[in-house]
Amino acid sequence: MIHLQLPAALAALLAGIGVYGVLARRNAVLVLIGVELILNAANLLLVTAGSRTGAPFAAGPVLTLFVITIAAAEICVALAVVLVLFRTTGAIDLTAVPDLTDEPEPEPDPQPDPEPEPDLRGEVRS
Amino acid sequence: MTTRDIVFAAVGAITALSALLSVTTKHVVHSALWLLVSLGSLAGCYLVLGQELVGLVQLLVYVGAIVVLVLFALMLTRAPIGPHAEIDTPAWQRVVGALLGAATTVLLAALLLPLFSGVTVELDGGAPGGTPAIAQAVFGTWVWPFELLSVLLLVALIGAFAVSRLVLRSEDETVTARGEVRR
Amino acid sequence: MSWIVRMIVVLPALAALAGLLARRQRLLAAGIAIGMSAYVAVLAFIQWVAPARTADIESIGRLSTGALQVPLHLLSDRLSGLVALAVAVVVLAIQVFTAWYLRDDPRYGQFAATVSLFATGMLLLVQASDLVLILVGWEIMGWCSWLLIGHDSQRPEARRAAYKAFIVTRVADIGMVVGLVALAVRAGSTDLITVLTASGHDTALTVGLVGVIIGVAGKSGLIPFHDWLPDAMEGPTPASALIHAATMVAAGSYVIARLFSLYASHDGARTLLAVLASATMVYAALLAFAQTDLKRMLAYSTLSQIAIMLAALAAAPPDIGFAPAIGHLVAHAFFKALLFLGAGWLSVLAGATALAALRGRLHGTGALRWSIGLGLAALAGVPPLIGFFTKDSVIETSIEGATGGGGARAWLVVVALFVTVVLTATYCARAWLLLDTPLAAAEPQSGGSPNAATGSDVPEAVVVAEEDLAVVTAADSADDAEVERVHAHGHAPITLSAALAVATLAALTVFGTLLLFSLTGALKPGIVSALLSLLLVVGAAYAVWTLSDRGRHDVADRVPSHVRDRAVRGFGADTAYVGVGRAVTAVARLVVALDRDVVDAYPRATVVAARGLGRVGERSHRGVPSLSLLALLAGVVVIAVLGVTAWR
């Protein structure tokens, strides 16, 4: 027999810690760690709720498995993005002011000495 | 307080403590390692709650795969070894972050604790939703979402690949464009 | 017989197409153009001898246009037969003449094909029994006139003249279209017979008749629209002959003749027509007198003569009808084509079309001298040429209209006609004296001239005249391209066939009166008016003869030079056109500016606002990521707290 208040409290605690982790880190990979903690808090809550008697379809554990899978996919894509960011800018510091000039403005076409307007009248006369 | 309560409190304390350490430590690599401890002990929590399968999957996927992936990412982004002062955001942001984290905790606790107050589950005579029941549910009720998940994994894989390829090409273009401009 | 009517329209169109395809082979193109027009002339002759007398000849079947009946019928009667014959003969003569005249022109094929298409337009209009077909023919001629006038498209003057003709007639065509639509709406059908017999709807009738008059004023060069016609002399001389003689400018008279029974019942429209025509015939005759260029003089005389036809339509009593006007149309077709072809011939011989350069060049040219002489005499109205009979029929008809209840309108026409008779005789006599008096005779060595008393002036005048001649030869000829061509290469002597074409027209000028007997009422000269106009003609010619000292001087030099210079330039009508164009453009610019800067300001303001919002969003979006995360999570927590509180 177990009191379910304990896992619920742990879930709330983990979520708070995760939020702090997201906000306290400037390294993008470490921010992802915070996100993982929040996800695990959600998982724990699912398992806890699924442990109650009368939960249909074994929803708690099954949804937890799904969330784990989705978390795997998420971390995969997120790390790809982080790596690309690192390769492009050389840093993954989230407090850095983004370089606003990375998209080069469409420069005005270099006008190589514009030709003078053809003088139609002159042509006609000649 | 039953035995399970005590065991859960102990494992849960380890989980919470290692999670806290993982978000506060000054060592980049330690952070990932503390995450490993936290997730592993969370698998222990699942075991205490009677969900062996979820606990084992947690170990396999999170501890075995995701944390390793994070470690790889840290290495590839040339994370510094040893304590590093520049790992955290400015102090005022951390204070606000702590406040927000506390607020989240309080909010969730205020919601969840009344919901679960006094709710107990008898797990000793075999969990009501054991592994056979989960297997039945996954390949019965949840079979379509399950198949959809496999597609999602595939898409995520291709997406990750495509993201790196696409951005790499545009990176080349910007480089050449800048080179021309410089010239 | 109805197939003949159809073939008369279709064959020139086919000739135009084939001529365009064969434009590179000069001989083939000429063969197609001349052969087809000869065949059409034969068909038109057959149709004139035995008209089908029906207005129900199917052309391409009726259009399915709902409530409006558009049968697209052709017709064939005495009137259409006569005019179609005149058109076909003149076109044939012009095609034959063109084959020689434009012998060295690299774009002869296109020119001949365009002439064929032009003939299609006129013949379609003549034989149309449907307002839609009339409009189609009308517009074909408008387009072809642009092509023909701008034939020498490398010269800016020709291009300008072409655009001027096109735009001026196009502006007037607005009235034509509106008028024809009003008439069709009134009758519920575009069939000519239905339109003529419909009744009621006086407003639609007024709009229709006045609109048609405006359109006719544009194509026929009545006074507000008259200035395009002299400028159209920039085209090659055969094009001028075609436009002026039988087709485009005369088409207006024909359309009004077709609608005559409607006009006969509507005094307001006829009064408008009478005023415009009277003013135009006198004004154009005055300007013709002052011109320094032979072709421009002929152009102004065309304006005057067309106005005579329209005046006849405006003043004729209903029982006589349109016949005198059509008679004069046919007569004018013959003698004006003759005059233009003769002028082209002469310009080839002399290398210029300026009167100063042509002085005395007619002397000793045999057939050409006879042709131009006959043409000028017919234009002036000398018996027994065709011009005398038709002009006198017009005068007699107008007098009958005036005495038969036509009132002030008809009297205005009668007075204008007599004034025009005098003026026409004056400028014809001047032209003849200038062209025919040998230059040697104009040398004032012999005494007895009025200038002998002030002998010191005379050599000076001669020097000035010779300088004028040089300047005028180089700069003032209308048909510059031809002049340049002749100066550069010389020109082949006239071929027998081209001379024969001119001679045929000359013969028609003499004997063409016989053709007019086919149309009832076309010839009704009155003895008194005939004698009176003859007296006026002789008097005017004698006055010119005396004033010009037997042809030794240009009688127009007696006009004060500042008046004359402005008359040569048409009294600034061109400037007025440009002013109107500028005003319209300015109004258009104003409307565009209003639309863009006032009406569109509100939609564009939303665009600017949206873009500004987008910029703001972009800036904030690209802020520091950690701060953004902070704000995001704070927002989430706040919303969650709010949500939980509200849920509680």
Side-chain angles (χ1 to χ4, degrees):
Chain A
M1 197 175 84
I2 186 168
H3 287 86
L4 290 185
Q5 263 186 328
L6 275 175
L10 182 59
L13 199 59
L14 276 181
I17 292 170
V19 166
Y20 174 74
V22 168
L23 294 182
R25 300 297 200 184
R26 65 167 61 179
N27 186 314
V29 179
L30 298 187
V31 169
L32 281 177
I33 288 177
V35 173
E36 292 304 314
L37 286 175
I38 298 174
L39 270 172
N40 275 289
N43 276 349
L44 180 59
L45 193 58
L46 278 173
V47 168
T48 310
S51 302
R52 294 177 71 159
T53 45
F57 306 131
V62 171
L63 286 180
T64 311
L65 291 177
F66 286 0
V67 170
I68 288 172
T69 318
I70 291 170
E74 170 252 328
I75 200 88
C76 186
V77 176
L79 286 177
V81 171
V82 167
L83 282 180
V84 164
L85 187 71
F86 179 74
R87 266 189 253 163
T88 313
T89 64
I92 47 175
D93 189 351
L94 294 186
T95 57
V97 178
D99 185 10
L100 286 176
T101 62
D102 59 352
E103 272 181 50
E105 292 283 320
E107 292 175 33
D109 288 335
Q111 296 276 349
D113 54 332
E115 290 179 4
E117 288 277 317
D119 189 358
L120 293 174
R121 288 181 180 172
E123 278 182 11
V124 165
R125 276 176 199 147
S126 67
Chain B
M1 288 290 270
T2 61
T3 321
R4 277 182 186 268
D5 284 347
I6 295 165
V7 174
F8 188 89
V11 181
I14 295 172
T15 308
L17 201 66
S18 53
L20 200 60
L21 281 171
S22 115
V23 298
T24 51
T25 177
K26 297 289 181 190
H27 299 255
V28 176
V29 180
H30 287 191
S31 177
L33 294 177
W34 280 122
L35 179 69
L36 188 113
V37 172
S38 174
L39 295 181
S41 52
L42 193 62
C45 291
Y46 293 154
L47 286 178
V48 175
L49 279 170
Q51 299 292 352
E52 304 94 343
L53 182 67
V54 177
L56 291 174
V57 169
Q58 169 91 357
L59 272 182
L60 271 175
V61 175
Y62 263 112
V63 181
I66 291 181
V67 175
V68 172
L69 210 56
V70 168
L71 281 171
F72 263 105
L74 285 176
M75 282 190 275
L76 284 174
T77 55
R78 295 178 199 158
I81 311 277
H84 192 58
E86 294 292 308
I87 191 173
D88 284 338
T89 47
W92 70 269
Q93 285 191 27
R94 267 181 290 153
V95 170
V96 175
L99 283 176
L100 281 177
T104 311
T105 305
V106 168
L107 192 70
L108 285 175
L111 273 174
L112 295 177
L113 292 184
L115 275 180
F116 290 100
S117 69
V119 177
T120 57
V121 178
E122 187 55 59
L123 296 166
D124 296 330
T131 308
I134 293 173
Q136 288 278 343
V138 165
F139 295 107
T141 309
W142 301 95
V143 66
W144 286 114
F146 183 79
E147 294 298 333
L148 217 59
L149 268 183
S150 61
V151 175
L152 177 85
L153 276 177
L154 185 67
V155 169
L157 203 67
I158 295 170
F161 185 71
V163 164
S164 57
R165 293 288 301 179
L166 278 176
V167 179
L168 271 178
R169 199 164 59 206
S170 77
E171 176 194 6
D172 288 342
E173 280 175 6
T174 47
V175 166
T176 53
R178 281 178 185 168
E180 280 175 7
V181 169
R182 272 178 208 141
R183 232 185 294 128
Chain C
M1 291 299 282
S2 60
W3 67 272
I4 289 181
V5 179
R6 285 188 213 119
M7 290 315 262
I8 287 175
V9 177
V10 172
L11 279 179
L14 289 179
L17 196 63
L20 212 52
L21 292 176
R23 64 186 183 278
R24 305 240 177 267
Q25 286 82 32
R26 175 174 297 271
L27 271 179
L28 188 57
I32 290 172
I34 295 172
M36 281 294 197
S37 42
Y39 187 45
V40 168
V42 170
L43 290 180
F45 183 76
I46 296 172
Q47 196 218 358
W48 173 67
V49 170
R53 294 180 181 283
T54 171
D56 290 333
I57 303 168
E58 292 284 339
S59 57
I60 55 169
R62 71 177 54 239
L63 291 185
S64 52
T65 46
L68 189 69
Q69 300 285 319
V70 187
L72 297 183
H73 283 160
L74 297 176
L75 56 71
S76 168
D77 57 7
R78 288 280 177 205
L79 173 59
S80 77
L82 179 63
V83 178
L85 177 61
V87 171
V89 168
V90 168
V91 167
L92 174 61
I94 286 168
Q95 287 281 25
V96 171
F97 187 80
T98 308
W100 165 72
Y101 186 80
L102 290 183
R103 155 177 300 198
D104 297 328
D105 193 299
R107 292 176 64 236
Y108 165 74
Q110 285 93 324
F111 186 86
T114 315
V115 170
S116 296
L117 188 59
F118 204 111
T120 309
M122 184 64 189
L123 290 168
L124 177 62
L125 184 137
V126 167
Q127 308 202 73
S129 175
D130 192 294
L131 297 186
V132 173
L133 291 181
I134 287 179
L135 191 64
V136 168
W138 189 263
E139 297 298 345
I140 289 176
M141 281 192 282
W143 180 54
C144 288
S145 70
W146 178 72
L147 287 173
L148 289 177
I149 296 169
H151 178 70
D152 296 314
S153 53
Q154 72 275 19
R155 282 194 306 125
E157 295 88 4
R159 289 200 300 271
R160 186 178 187 278
Y163 280 115
K164 183 172 173 182
F166 190 71
I167 290 171
V168 170
T169 55
R170 185 113 297 253
V171 168
D173 280 353
I174 297 170
M176 186 74 177
V177 173
V178 168
L180 290 184
V181 166
L183 290 179
V185 166
R186 174 172 170 268
S189 163
T190 59
D191 187 63
L192 191 64
I193 308 301
T194 321
V195 167
L196 290 180
T197 52
S199 57
H201 291 95
D202 287 339
T203 315
L205 182 63
T206 307
V207 170
L209 296 182
V210 172
V212 169
I213 286 179
I214 292 172
V216 166
K219 277 271 198 299
S220 298
L222 289 189
I223 228 161
F225 303 107
H226 63 282
D227 201 54
W228 70 267
L229 202 61
D231 279 16
M233 294 299 109
E234 294 292 346
T237 306
S240 308
L242 185 67
I243 292 173
H244 285 241
T247 54
M248 186 161 155
V249 294
S253 316
Y254 183 81
V255 168
I256 290 192
R258 273 287 171 215
L259 299 173
F260 184 77
S261 65
L262 291 178
Y263 279 99
S265 63
H266 199 287
D267 272 341
R270 286 181 99 194
T271 308
L272 174 66
L273 187 61
V275 170
L276 288 180
S278 305
T280 308
M281 75 171 94
V282 175
Y283 176 72
L286 278 173
L287 286 187
F289 177 71
Q291 294 305 307
T292 57
D293 186 282
L294 178 60
K295 283 183 74 181
R296 285 183 76 90
M297 190 210 88
L298 291 177
Y300 277 110
S301 82
T302 301
L303 289 174
S304 180
Q305 296 296 313
I306 298 288
I308 288 177
M309 297 171 207
L310 292 170
L313 290 167
D319 54 327
I320 295 178
F322 52 76
I326 295 301
H328 196 60
L329 191 160
V330 173
H332 178 252
F334 291 147
F335 67 68
K336 192 49 68 69
L338 171 67
L339 276 174
F340 266 113
L341 295 190
W345 187 351
L346 185 61
S347 73
V348 167
L349 292 180
T353 60
L355 278 171
L358 292 176
R359 281 185 80 158
R361 295 304 290 261
L362 210 52
H363 198 69
T365 51
L368 175 59
R369 182 165 180 260
W370 275 101
S371 301
I372 290 189
L374 281 173
L376 286 174
L379 177 59
V382 174
L385 302 176
I386 188 168
F388 166 75
F389 291 109
T390 56
K391 187 182 284 183
D392 203 59
S393 303
V394 168
I395 294 174
E396 178 65 19
T397 309
S398 305
I399 291 176
E400 275 191 29
T403 53
R409 155 167 54 85
W411 281 117
L412 173 70
V413 168
V414 171
V415 171
L417 279 172
F418 276 115
V419 173
T420 309
V421 166
V422 175
L423 290 171
T424 310
T426 310
Y427 67 71
C428 287
R430 168 185 170 239
W432 174 252
L433 287 175
L434 282 179
L435 292 176
D436 192 51
T437 313
L439 211 52
E443 299 285 338
Q445 283 93 354
S446 62
S449 73
N451 282 342
T454 57
S456 60
D457 289 348
V458 175
E460 209 173 297
V462 171
V463 170
V464 170
E466 279 173 358
E467 279 175 4
D468 277 353
L469 190 148
V471 170
V472 159
T473 310
D476 212 21
S477 291
D479 198 354
D480 278 342
E482 177 61 26
V483 171
E484 282 167 19
R485 206 177 301 134
V486 169
H487 280 214
H489 317 295
H491 199 288
I494 191 163
T495 54
L496 183 63
S497 52
L500 212 58
V502 178
T504 309
L505 286 173
L508 280 169
T509 305
V510 180
F511 301 112
T513 322
L514 301 175
L515 291 176
L516 298 178
F517 281 113
S518 71
L519 192 65
T520 319
L523 287 175
K524 51 187 298 21
I527 302 299
V528 179
S529 58
L531 285 177
L532 183 55
S533 63
L534 193 57
L535 210 62
L536 288 172
V537 167
V538 171
Y542 182 73
V544 172
W545 168 256
T546 321
L547 284 175
S548 66
D549 189 21
R550 281 177 286 163
R552 287 185 190 129
H553 301 287
D554 186 353
V555 70
D557 286 343
R558 290 177 179 266
V559 179
S561 67
H562 62 280
V563 176
R564 187 165 182 216
D565 285 348
R566 297 183 58 201
V568 168
R569 294 189 182 85
F571 286 112
D574 188 70
T575 319
Y577 286 2
V578 172
V580 170
R582 291 238 167 87
V584 170
T585 320
V587 170
R589 288 226 178 85
L590 179 68
V591 169
V592 167
L594 278 178
D595 186 48
R596 193 179 50 209
D597 295 338
V598 178
V599 179
D600 274 5
Y602 300 105
R604 281 193 295 144
T606 63
V607 169
V608 170
R611 191 179 289 155
L613 276 177
R615 286 235 175 84
V616 169
E618 190 189 4
R619 295 266 162 201
S620 52
H621 177 74
R622 307 181 78 170
V624 179
S626 66
L627 291 178
S628 309
L629 266 177
L630 190 69
L632 176 73
L633 281 176
V636 167
V637 168
V638 166
I639 288 173
V641 168
L642 284 178
V644 167
T645 333
W647 181 49
R648 284 254 168 103

